[in-house]
Amino acid sequence: MPEGDTIFRTARALGRALAGRPITAFRSTYPKLMQSDDDAPLAGQMVSRVESRGKWLLIHFSGGGTLATHMLMNGSWHIYRHGQPWQQPRANMRIVLETVDYIAVGFRVPVARMHTPESLRRDRRIPGTEIDVLSADFDVQEAMRRLLAHGDEAVADALLRQDVLAGVGNVFKSEICFVTGVHPYCKVAWLSEDQVRTVIGAARKLVRANVLEDSGDLIVTYGGRRRRTTHESKPGASLWVYGRHGEPCRRCGEVIRRRIQGPDARVTFWCPGCQKMPDGTDVDG
Ligand SMILES: [Zn+2]
């Protein structure tokens, strides 16, 4: 599933291709989007800005509307030159935005809605910029308060809440716990204030480190690029614990554990040597 870093890089690529040029054509397989295009045609408008908010991608138009999309598990945006072959079947196309130079195609984008400024503000699923770990508006004190409001939950589960830290997904969840030495099953309430601050700092740092490098690519794929939390970019060396169950910890040599965790049954990885529960117990991997 794309995490905040992927959506940020997608927004950057779409902004680079589309912003400041008039839209020449818009199409969608979603009747509601076509209906709003009938009411206020996008053709002739310009893309004024493209931004990510956590896992949401927002395309703002000069007419005041905003197309909000969420990729869930399989959605993606590609950018092509006219006449260039698409990397996915036409049947997967859900949304197309064209300019004189480029065609932006939303493939299998499962959630898409055209917003007015008012309805965008009212949509509580779309996080504000102050909640987005990649935003300059991110507020650490408020994030600490939001995390501590889930004191009864395991840290790993609370980290996935997009209304707590928008942009952190399942890979970063395990990596944040590892680099801060926090056991993923540790309750939020058991953390000291300093630990809460450190966990939030690690979340921002790890996600941000994955958007600094700007390849200039126009197609942002989710499988092709290696996400990295260690200082190594070699294949198989770029993450501390995620996907490494049964392998030795890069720091202490203990065997990395894996377990399905939380209300949404997401997979979690940790090192029993580096990440201890405060009461000395551990959870079987
Ligand atoms: Zn270890």
Side-chain angles (χ1 to χ4, degrees), residues 178 249-254 256 271-275:
F178 178 84
C249 172
R250 302 186 195 286
R251 281 194 178 145
C252 75
E254 282 267 4
I256 303 295
C271 168
C274 296
Q275 296 163 269

Side-chain angles (χ1 to χ4, degrees), residues 11-131:
R12 183 164 60 194
L14 280 171
R16 187 159 47 216
L18 300 179
R21 291 176 187 79
I23 298 296
T24 52
F26 172 79
R27 306 191 284 286
S28 177
T29 57
Y30 292 125
K32 276 202 161 169
L33 289 187
M34 291 313 289
Q35 190 186 330
S36 71
D37 189 60
D38 279 346
D39 298 342
L42 289 177
Q45 295 190 38
M46 301 224 235
V47 169
S48 52
R49 193 161 60 93
V50 184
E51 65 170 324
S52 61
R53 301 254 196 100
K55 298 180 186 177
W56 288 86
L57 189 130
L58 306 182
I59 303 175
H60 300 286
F61 297 96
S62 56
T66 298
L67 176 60
T69 56
H70 194 297
M71 308 307 137
L72 291 179
M73 299 305 273
N74 298 314
S76 60
W77 279 94
H78 289 191
I79 301 157
Y80 299 107
R81 294 272 183 191
H82 291 275
Q84 196 181 355
W86 293 3
Q87 293 186 11
Q88 286 210 26
R90 300 233 154 215
N92 290 350
M93 182 276 273
R94 301 289 179 273
I95 304 166
V96 169
L97 280 165
E98 292 186 21
T99 66
V100 168
D101 300 310
Y102 294 108
I103 305 177
V105 190
F107 290 109
R108 300 168 80 188
V109 171
V111 181
R113 186 182 161 181
M114 191 61 77
H115 276 288
T116 65
E118 295 73 35
S119 69
L120 182 63
R121 262 195 302 278
R122 279 199 310 267
D123 192 330
R124 301 186 66 86
R125 296 171 307 165
I126 301 176
T129 53
E130 73 286 358
I131 296 176

Side-chain angles (χ1 to χ4, degrees), residues 228-266:
R228 187 164 110 184
T229 58
T230 65
H231 295 295
E232 297 284 336
S233 59
K234 298 199 287 282
S238 62
L239 297 173
W240 289 106
V241 289
Y242 187 88
R244 297 195 61 240
H245 56 290
E247 294 179 46
C249 172
R250 302 186 195 286
R251 281 194 178 145
C252 75
E254 282 267 4
V255 176
I256 303 295
R257 290 187 185 171
R258 171 192 194 268
R259 193 180 165 98
I260 301 299
Q261 181 177 11
D264 296 324
R266 305 301 302 278

